[in-house]
Amino acid sequence: MTVSARIVPDLLADLGSLTIAQVQAAFAAGTLTSEDLVRASLAQVEKLNGKYNAIIFSCDDALEQAREIDRRRAAGEALGPLAGIPVVIKDTVDMVGYPTTAGWRLLYSGTGGIDLFPERDAPVAARMKAAGAVILGKTNVPILSWTGTHANDSWAGPTINVAIEDRAPGGSSAGTASAVAAHMCLVGLAEETGGSIQNPASAQGLVGIKPTIGMVPNAGVVPLSSNRDVVGPIARTVADAALCLDAIAGFTCEDPKTLASIGHIPPGGFAANLSRDALKGKRIGLYGPGWRKDTLSDETAALYERAKGELAAAGAILVDDPFAGTDFNTHRQITPGTPFFDGRGLESLPYDITCYLRRLGPEAALKSWEEFTAATRAENPLAPGAILGYLNELPDFLEAVKAPAVPPAMPEFAALKETYLRLLDTVFAHHELDALAYPQMLGELPGLHSGNAIRETTVGELNIAGIPGITVPAGYYASGAPFELIFVARQWDDAKIIDFAYAYEQATLHRKPAV
């Protein structure tokens, strides 16, 4: 039966307004099938992917996946929470049948390199499949996810920002954000080490959840740092992002740090009991020099003032610069060789790559750090001046390289993380804070090929401390570039800030479909 015969043209005519709840209701009512929705999504991919370059590997069995979900639904079988929902997955996430290229021509046979085929899915990919999601493809990233600004150096070429095409799309999860913004799918998996969820989500007017480290497993994902890497969703709405987080969060023996997540996932999941009144009476800390000495641009400051008024109107109690009088802003260090990045914690890369390659299985083309560096020597990313050359500036990196199979001690990183967590606990307790709400960026997005980096307000502090953040649309610059807030909280307060972001989103409804 055709889509038009199922009386759903109005629903599918505006893919950018669809939510998972709406789709699941239509599935339940019999007015929409997964095949209908996936066909519409694939048509959007065919129409726009050539322009935005979001998806670099397409799953040829997407329609078969959808038809199987429809068959199971018709048979009355129990289905997962994302059953029939079209999604995308970041290239760095292992998925059986597809190479994991990390955006690098040397790790893709189609550009003369070596293919890394995993013998099993990453836990997050397996969980998306178990939830019934229909995976449309894998998305573009810069080489080794090295930048939070763009994907310009990917073997697949640059990804374009759907919200404002001449500006940086955000990275490294650029392709996931563009696929969601272009309505090719409802949600997508991203991953952050240094802004790679929050930056692309904010750059393209989307919701991105960077969970507490340990909330979601990152085994089977090309690493930059097992001490900072975390997988999370990018979506068009807070509720959709929360539903995706529900599908991927929780303990697995494959990633022992996820044991700490037990007891921190709310009954019913993160999407349960979201409230439009969540901000009422909540104490929200505001951005100021106590957090960072970096100042906001004039237009960013004006947009932030408006957002403060919206927060207050939603019932929040605003606390100006709660970190004033502390030494919090003295601990961030821009690593030499980077434009705006504190890279501490990435010293474990040799060990992390060793563990990642082992997990690929005995048939993997590369099995050790030594084989990895030998195969990529032609474009050594660790050489002085290369994309990861700054790692040589980090205190424990040189020792880590000497023994890549041995877990590095990294005492300086551990001490810094403890300092951040202690200061956060002290400030939150002193001011009785529930969360922070900052502009996600200090100013407008840089140009796509400008060479300038996105200047954010929280990367480094969030990633080193391992605390959660969620971005939410909060308006637009005069140029049309998105402006977003990021809600930040202490470890394991993920559910709280997701609720706050939902209340703000519903009170303001700032986001406009980009296509």
Side-chain angles (χ1 to χ4, degrees):
M1 186 177 291
T2 65
V3 171
S4 59
R6 298 186 65 85
I7 322 176
V8 294
D10 290 343
L11 189 65
L12 292 181
D14 188 8
L15 290 174
S17 296
L18 284 183
T19 67
I20 292 174
Q22 289 173 330
V23 168
Q24 295 289 22
F27 287 161
T31 57
L32 179 68
T33 68
S34 179
E35 183 177 352
D36 292 334
L37 179 58
V38 170
R39 282 191 182 278
S41 298
L42 291 175
Q44 194 78 347
V45 173
E46 184 176 1
K47 176 183 175 183
L48 295 178
N49 196 54
K51 178 178 183 180
Y52 295 115
N53 197 30
I55 297 172
I56 59 173
F57 295 114
S58 295
C59 296
D60 295 334
D61 66 343
L63 281 174
E64 292 176 23
Q65 295 177 54
R67 291 182 187 122
E68 176 62 13
I69 291 292
D70 289 335
R71 183 198 66 75
R72 294 178 59 200
R73 183 178 288 110
E77 295 183 23
L79 296 174
L82 298 181
I85 302 299
V87 307
V88 294
I89 291 180
K90 187 174 180 176
D91 171 53
T92 51
V93 177
D94 283 350
M95 194 164 72
V96 170
Y98 299 88
T100 301
T101 74
W104 202 359
R105 72 171 189 88
L106 297 180
L107 297 180
Y108 178 43
S109 63
T111 49
I114 295 171
D115 283 330
L116 296 179
F117 280 102
E119 69 172 7
R120 55 201 165 109
D121 291 333
V124 289
R127 289 175 176 182
M128 291 294 277
K129 291 179 179 180
V134 177
I135 299 172
L136 302 185
K138 300 188 76 180
T139 57
N140 201 21
V141 298
I143 295 174
L144 293 177
S145 300
W146 74 276
T147 173
T149 299
H150 57 73
N152 291 348
D153 60 1
S154 167
W155 63 262
T159 289
I160 305 302
N161 187 329
V162 179
I164 181 165
E165 294 174 11
D166 64 347
R167 303 296 179 91
S172 61
S173 307
T176 292
S178 290
V180 174
H183 315 155
M184 300 175 191
C185 57
L186 271 74
V187 295
L189 289 191
E191 179 269 336
E192 174 156 330
T193 309
S196 294
I197 294 172
Q198 56 177 290
N199 282 359
S202 290
Q204 304 205 41
L206 302 168
V207 175
I209 300 177
K210 182 267 173 203
T212 297
I213 191 166
M215 183 67 80
V216 176
N218 62 294
V221 182
V222 179
L224 276 177
S225 169
S226 58
N227 309 294
R228 294 176 50 153
D229 296 345
V230 62
V231 177
I234 290 179
R236 292 191 291 272
T237 70
V238 172
D240 282 2
L243 284 166
C244 187
L245 182 59
D246 285 340
I248 60 175
F251 171 65
T252 171
C253 284
E254 278 224 75
D255 188 347
K257 65 179 176 289
T258 57
L259 184 64
S261 70
I262 295 175
H264 296 294
I265 299 173
F270 294 99
N273 303 314
L274 293 174
S275 172
R276 294 171 182 262
D277 297 325
L279 283 165
K280 286 186 176 179
K282 299 302 188 294
R283 294 177 62 82
I284 305 296
L286 302 176
Y287 183 79
W291 175 269
R292 270 199 202 174
K293 298 174 185 177
D294 300 312
T295 58
L296 307 177
S297 73
D298 289 345
E299 192 174 2
T300 300
L303 288 165
Y304 189 36
E305 284 300 316
R306 185 183 71 182
K308 292 177 191 178
E310 293 166 337
L311 290 166
I317 300 166
L318 305 184
V319 180
D320 188 53
D321 194 10
F323 290 87
T326 73
D327 67 349
F328 189 91
N329 67 11
T330 68
H331 295 287
R332 180 172 182 265
Q333 296 177 9
I334 297 177
T335 303
T338 74
F340 200 66
F341 180 57
D342 189 337
R344 288 173 292 180
L346 274 70
E347 297 96 322
S348 61
L349 178 67
Y351 175 71
D352 294 334
I353 289 289
T354 298
C355 295
Y356 170 78
L357 294 173
R358 285 175 182 162
R359 189 188 181 279
L360 290 174
E363 302 304 315
L366 303 175
K367 299 180 179 63
S368 68
W369 171 256
E370 291 80 8
E371 290 182 8
F372 178 82
T373 55
T376 58
R377 188 171 290 119
E379 296 179 12
N380 179 11
L382 301 173
I387 56 173
L388 297 179
Y390 66 85
L391 293 180
N392 295 287
E393 303 288 338
L394 299 178
D396 299 308
F397 181 69
L398 296 181
E399 288 302 312
V401 170
K402 292 177 184 176
V406 177
M410 299 178 62
E412 182 172 320
F413 172 77
L416 176 61
K417 183 181 178 80
E418 181 179 7
T419 296
Y420 272 142
L421 291 174
R422 175 178 48 79
L423 283 167
L424 285 158
D425 284 345
T426 299
V427 169
F428 268 65
H430 179 73
H431 292 281
E432 299 180 314
L433 295 177
D434 292 286
L436 311 171
Y438 295 167
Q440 195 274 326
M441 298 181 196
L442 296 168
E444 275 199 73
L445 286 166
L448 175 60
H449 298 294
S450 67
N452 296 322
I454 287 175
R455 293 171 61 85
E456 35 58 40
T457 62
T458 59
V459 170
E461 298 91 342
L462 260 69
N463 300 134
I464 291 170
I467 58 177
I470 177 171
T471 69
V472 62
Y476 295 85
Y477 290 88
S479 66
F483 168 75
E484 299 221 359
L485 293 183
I486 182 166
F487 287 88
V488 177
R490 289 180 289 185
Q491 285 181 311
W492 309 115
D493 276 348
D494 305 59
K496 183 182 285 188
I497 58 171
I498 289 169
D499 211 9
F500 294 164
Y502 176 80
Y504 178 81
E505 172 195 60
Q506 294 301 304
T508 58
L509 298 176
H510 278 299
R511 182 182 179 272
K512 302 171 185 174
V515 293

